[in-house]
Amino acid sequence: DGGITQSPKYLFRKEGQNVTLSCEQNLNHDAMYWYRQDPGQGLRLIYYSQIVNDFQKGDIAEGYSVSREKKESFPLTVTSAQKNPTAFYLCASRIRKDRGGNQPQHFGDGTRLSIL
Amino acid sequence: GESVGLHLPTLSVQEGDNSIINCAYSNSASDYFIWYKQESGKGPQFIIDIRSNMDKRQGQRVTVLLNKTVKHLSLQIAATQPGDSAVYFCAESKTSYDKVIFGPGTSLSVIP
């Protein structure tokens, strides 16, 4: 089955520590996205990537970093500069617009990050 | 800036009744709209989408209505079932724009 896999499902961060959240997709999608979701709120865009080795900041990129070395993978690092990292992190992918028009995003099942 | 904590709008319906979930979108230039369903602890699942050249689109038990004049989107669920209990998000996008903007969500609770 094709889909998006996020790991781990739960993650705990100590003060001053960087942590990396994994996102892998086998849907052959070019575009990948990271969102943050706080309790009772919608999704806010952290970073997105339309193609390998390229990515753009979203609305709340401060304190986060990403890489896109492979089409299938888009890991997100939550750095120690992110002072309020406790949230539910969602990864998504979709066909790039210039290859298939506007299409819905497919989401993973998220990683819940908490502070120790 | 950072959003403050919000309470989600909540809709409670009796099992078997029809549900209508509303959404006001922000950008008059948006031309693609999507509804997602999110169950607790899971990622959003695609329900139905509509492009701006349409006013209505139907799926299985769901209908999306688009009113571009007042920038309003609605999701109608027929014969609502307990399994429909979830948070529903509308999202908007523009063909020339890579980002997808999500609304705050509505929590649907189905009373058996």
Side-chain angles (χ1 to χ4, degrees), chain B residues 59-79:
Chain B
Q60 189 177 13
R61 279 201 310 120
V62 293
T63 301
V64 55
L65 298 176
L66 175 63
N67 184 333
K68 296 181 285 292
T69 304
V70 294
K71 294 192 290 185
H72 184 267
L73 197 63
S74 68
L75 177 71
Q76 300 177 1
I77 305 174

Side-chain angles (χ1 to χ4, degrees), chain A residues 43-61:
Chain A
L43 281 64
R44 292 186 289 168
L45 182 64
I46 306 172
Y47 267 99
Y48 63 106
S49 168
Q50 298 293 306
I51 197 168
V52 173
N53 292 324
D54 189 40
F55 47 82
Q56 287 78 41
K57 291 182 179 180
D59 301 316
I60 55 164

Side-chain angles (χ1 to χ4, degrees), chain A residues 26-53:
Chain A
N26 60 3
L27 298 165
N28 200 32
H29 288 169
D30 290 292
M32 296 187 74
Y33 305 78
W34 273 106
Y35 292 91
R36 169 180 172 139
Q37 186 176 32
D38 291 284
Q41 296 191 41
L43 281 64
R44 292 186 289 168
L45 182 64
I46 306 172
Y47 267 99
Y48 63 106
S49 168
Q50 298 293 306
I51 197 168
V52 173
N53 292 324

